[in-house]
Amino acid sequence: MDWGMKNRLSRIIKPTTGHTLMLAVDHGYFMGPTTGLERPWEAVKDLVPHADTLMLTKGVLRNCIPPETDIPIVLRVSGGTSIIGKELLHEGITSSMEDAVRLNVAGVAYSITVGMPWERDTILDLAQIVDMAGEYGIPVVAVTAVGKELGKDAKYLSLASRIAAEHGAHIVKTYYCEDFEKVVDTCPVPIVIAGGKKLPEKDALTMAYNALQTGAVGVDMGRNIFQSENPPAMIQAVKAIVHNKATPEEAYQIFQEKKK
Ligand code: 5RP
């Protein structure tokens, strides 16, 4: 792994704690103007100071985020489906690595859908993205997207996460589940968890805490932050868990205090 790849990885997973708080705002690439992301810059401008990376699409990056914004970017490079389409998550490659370089990204993110009829397409695309990104020393975050029909249990998430790692992903983004340590234990690269659907803040903080406790290196959280009743308070609470060893109770206290 050359200097550039290591440097980019260290901009995602912070060497000081070995953890990362990735703020995910890429949802529009298949959900459209989802609640909380109607105006992307409005949604993130007060969150950026507390996040380690911003995960988004090239369209939002170019059109909504001021280029002087000082935060490592993880670029969503898969897409091509929508929540009203027949084959949600049967995604393909949506960016060249030359464009990722032009955008000065720290990493790229690609979804695979293990277990869906088109799993082969997405897994082979991931392997291709790993090679293409590797040419430029750009790490790949593999997203184990979960189709409605698929469970989010340790058995499934261990399978999907390991397949992503076997095909060259540098970081795997999956979901927290019971026996999560089994998912971490059999995945040879760092794992971060998505937050998933909006939960009560305390529950989301507990989930993040449990994930860290069972071996995740961090979160790639979106809705549980930008759909929170107070997103800046919530991201600071999540950050306390990710980087300052806070308990859910301590983090929730921070949320309550920052809300005022
Ligand atoms: C959306 C994504 C998001 O990056 C990922 O799901 C994290 O966001 P959230 O915490 O809202 O689930 O891949 O497709």
Side-chain angles (χ1 to χ4, degrees), residues 50-108:
H50 308 292
D52 294 318
T53 72
L54 198 51
M55 178 163 151
L56 37 54
T57 58
K58 60 186 173 184
V60 165
L61 184 56
R62 284 203 162 95
N63 296 298
C64 307
I65 309 298
E68 60 274 13
T69 306
D70 181 18
I71 187 164
I73 297 297
V74 174
L75 187 71
R76 162 66 70 175
V77 295
S78 68
T81 69
S82 81
I83 46 175
I84 61 167
K86 299 277 173 290
E87 285 199 340
L88 176 61
L89 300 178
H90 183 180
E91 300 185 350
I93 297 172
T94 56
S95 287
S96 68
M97 290 308 108
E98 289 72 21
D99 207 26
V101 171
R102 255 194 299 276
L103 290 166
N104 194 27
V105 306
V108 294

Side-chain angles (χ1 to χ4, degrees), residues 24 26-27 29-30 55 76 173 175 194-196 220-223:
D26 58 323
H27 305 62
Y29 83 97
F30 73 102
M55 178 163 151
R76 162 66 70 175
K173 178 178 74 171
Y175 292 88
D220 179 26
M221 204 173 258
R223 286 161 288 181

Side-chain angles (χ1 to χ4, degrees), residues 4-222:
M5 176 74 83
K6 287 178 187 164
N7 177 263
R8 288 186 183 88
L9 275 168
S10 74
R11 289 163 62 198
I12 298 172
I13 300 174
K14 299 305 176 193
T16 43
T17 60
H19 292 161
T20 183
L21 193 178
M22 300 169 68
L23 176 58
V25 292
D26 58 323
H27 305 62
Y29 83 97
F30 73 102
M31 294 171 93
T34 194
T35 306
L37 287 185
E38 295 86 351
R39 285 165 299 286
W41 179 240
E42 282 304 304
V44 304
K45 66 182 176 27
D46 298 328
L47 307 179
V48 161
H50 308 292
D52 294 318
T53 72
L54 198 51
M55 178 163 151
L56 37 54
T57 58
K58 60 186 173 184
V60 165
L61 184 56
R62 284 203 162 95
N63 296 298
C64 307
I65 309 298
E68 60 274 13
T69 306
D70 181 18
I71 187 164
I73 297 297
V74 174
L75 187 71
R76 162 66 70 175
V77 295
S78 68
T81 69
S82 81
I83 46 175
I84 61 167
K86 299 277 173 290
E87 285 199 340
L88 176 61
L89 300 178
H90 183 180
E91 300 185 350
I93 297 172
T94 56
S95 287
S96 68
M97 290 308 108
E98 289 72 21
D99 207 26
V101 171
R102 255 194 299 276
L103 290 166
N104 194 27
V105 306
V108 294
Y110 200 91
S111 289
I112 61 172
T113 34
V114 171
M116 297 304 275
W118 54 78
E119 63 175 11
R120 181 179 186 274
D121 296 348
T122 61
I123 296 168
L124 290 180
D125 279 347
L126 170 66
Q128 196 185 349
I129 284 284
V130 166
D131 286 353
M132 290 159 54
E135 291 292 307
Y136 297 96
I138 298 175
V140 178
V141 178
V143 176
T144 61
V146 183
K148 285 195 189 63
E149 312 76 72
L150 301 168
K152 280 187 185 175
D153 61 7
K155 189 163 182 291
Y156 174 77
L157 296 176
S158 301
L159 172 70
S161 298
R162 178 60 173 265
I163 287 173
E166 296 267 357
H167 287 79
H170 299 88
I171 298 172
V172 172
K173 178 178 74 171
T174 191
Y175 292 88
Y176 182 70
C177 62
E178 217 171 294
D179 297 331
F180 188 68
E181 61 281 357
K182 291 183 180 152
V183 180
V184 173
D185 192 38
T186 54
C187 181
V189 297
I191 287 189
V192 297
I193 62 147
K197 285 191 173 46
K198 176 75 180 68
L199 302 167
E201 278 75 3
K202 182 74 184 303
D203 295 350
L205 292 169
T206 302
M207 175 176 63
Y209 176 80
N210 291 340
L212 268 288
Q213 290 297 101
T214 43
V217 297
V219 301
D220 179 26
M221 204 173 258

